[in-house]
Amino acid sequence: MTTLPTVLVLDAEPPPRLGRLTGRARIVHTDAAHLPERLPEADVLLVWDFASHAVREAWPGDGPRPAWVHTASAGVDHLMCPELAASDTVVTNARGIFDQPIAEYVAALVLAVAKDLPRTLEHQRERTWRHREGRRLAGTRACVVGSGPIGRAIVRTLKALGVTTALVGRVPRTGIHGPADLDRLISRADWVIAAAPLTEATYRMFDARRFGVMQPSAFFVNVGRGQLVDEEALAHALTRRWIAGAALDVFTSEPLPEDSPLWTLPELIVSPHMSGDTIGWRDELGAQFVELYDRWAAGRSLVNVVDKQRGYVPGH
């Protein structure tokens, strides 16, 4: 009798729909508390709870470790630890699921700010008739930081709206600027958009100095990782009106605490890490994992393989 591979799922609600693996894999569900004791039995680990740090904490323990770990997220910073990075385990991510939804979300923010929609809704609630003039979006400039699939989708979407875009990546190449150009580009940008992975090089890359480089009319958006931004420096920049406004979809601490000053900062739009989440997104994530499992079970090479030293899928 053939022993089925064990797929261990670090659960979150609602759980993944993995019915297509019936008879082809032994599915075991666990929560963070029981992950350390169940990890040694797994051939594959599906990190469905992509906000959890349980993998990072459990991985250095005793016993065998899965040959393959898949996270249902674009970022992998929540699960990486030195022991996992040094191991032979293959790590894959959900690259491709969130690209266009996040790009559309960024475009929606940019349009809403250019046309002053937040104030229009506020005036409507107050039954106040106050005529204003919106901003023409075509012809403005955007600097998108992060040259992966999400950053490139943002560039394509903003270009379709007539925005002149510059894309900044880890290394310069055709059509992509390197880090050395970043200050120059953000100093001229009307829209500065952070969509980079979290690495040692990008940690708090948007600090007081970078906000000071931006134009007073610039608007900053973060859809990458909360730790890309020094939130205290951003609060200072908004309060002192160094920049015109900002929108954050990701935060250093999530959920954002009720007593966080970010909730009431002037000209700051707060959203609950939802920029990539469209109707049916969990089903797409589950289907993507099943397709990857098909490749793994057939002995074929996996796609979306993360460079564990860099912290993202290379090739962009």
Side-chain angles (χ1 to χ4, degrees):
M1 179 175 173
T2 303
T3 303
L4 296 176
T6 296
V7 174
L8 181 64
V9 182
L10 178 58
D11 260 341
E13 289 297 330
R17 298 169 64 179
L18 302 176
R20 286 170 53 193
L21 296 184
T22 301
R24 302 171 52 211
R26 172 176 170 258
I27 309 296
V28 177
H29 296 267
T30 186
D31 57 15
H34 294 92
L35 180 64
E37 64 191 70
R38 292 181 173 165
L39 198 56
E41 69 182 90
D43 297 294
V44 178
L45 173 64
L46 168 57
V47 185
W48 191 250
D49 185 357
F50 49 78
S52 172
H53 291 167
V55 176
R56 181 193 298 168
E57 296 162 3
W59 195 272
D62 297 328
R65 290 296 179 257
W68 168 35
V69 173
H70 177 75
T71 179
S73 60
V76 298
D77 50 277
H78 59 290
L79 57 86
M80 293 304 299
C81 62
E83 292 81 3
L84 175 53
S87 72
D88 293 330
T89 296
V90 176
V91 176
T92 57
N93 73 354
R95 183 185 190 190
I97 300 295
F98 302 108
D99 308 352
Q100 192 56 35
I102 291 178
E104 292 170 3
Y105 197 88
V106 170
L109 286 171
V110 169
L111 280 165
V113 171
K115 305 308 178 184
D116 201 24
L117 292 185
R119 243 171 295 274
T120 295
L121 296 173
E122 181 182 332
H123 292 330
Q124 180 181 350
R125 284 191 295 269
E126 297 170 350
R127 302 190 180 196
T128 300
W129 183 277
R130 185 167 298 164
H131 180 269
R132 286 113 53 228
E133 295 177 345
R135 186 177 186 183
R136 186 189 295 268
L137 189 59
T140 60
R141 295 181 178 183
C143 177
V144 179
V145 183
S147 60
I150 292 173
R152 296 199 299 271
I154 293 170
V155 166
R156 288 194 301 271
T157 304
L158 292 182
K159 279 186 175 179
L161 296 171
V163 179
T164 300
T165 60
L167 184 60
V168 178
R170 187 179 65 89
V171 293
R173 53 205 183 276
T174 304
I176 299 175
H177 297 268
D181 293 333
L182 179 58
D183 287 353
R184 175 179 60 84
L185 292 169
I186 65 175
S187 71
R188 303 166 58 194
D190 301 290
W191 316 98
V192 178
I193 297 141
L198 178 60
T199 66
E200 289 184 6
T202 62
Y203 178 76
R204 290 196 173 184
M205 66 185 302
F206 289 98
D207 54 13
R209 188 186 66 78
R210 286 254 157 79
F211 290 122
V213 167
M214 296 179 196
Q215 301 183 89
S217 59
F219 189 85
F220 175 74
V221 177
N222 185 15
V223 289
R225 279 291 181 264
Q227 293 88 341
L228 299 180
V229 177
D230 181 335
E231 292 174 349
E232 186 175 342
L234 174 60
H236 183 81
L238 289 170
T239 303
R240 298 296 182 90
R241 301 188 184 278
W242 290 1
I243 60 175
L248 301 179
D249 186 55
V250 287
F251 302 85
T252 299
S253 177
E254 296 183 6
L256 188 65
E258 289 185 10
D259 60 353
S260 171
L262 295 177
W263 287 109
T264 55
L265 275 178
E267 307 303 328
L268 176 63
I269 298 172
V270 170
S271 58
H273 203 149
M274 59 176 284
S275 62
D277 301 348
T278 52
I279 296 169
W281 66 284
R282 291 183 179 87
D283 288 341
E284 290 182 49
L285 287 171
Q288 182 187 54
F289 174 72
V290 170
E291 290 173 8
L292 286 169
Y293 183 88
D294 290 343
R295 297 179 68 96
W296 180 80
R300 298 163 59 201
S301 9
L302 291 166
V303 296
N304 290 8
V305 174
V306 173
D307 183 318
K308 294 183 292 183
Q309 302 304 320
R310 296 182 184 178
Y312 55 86
V313 178
H316 55 265

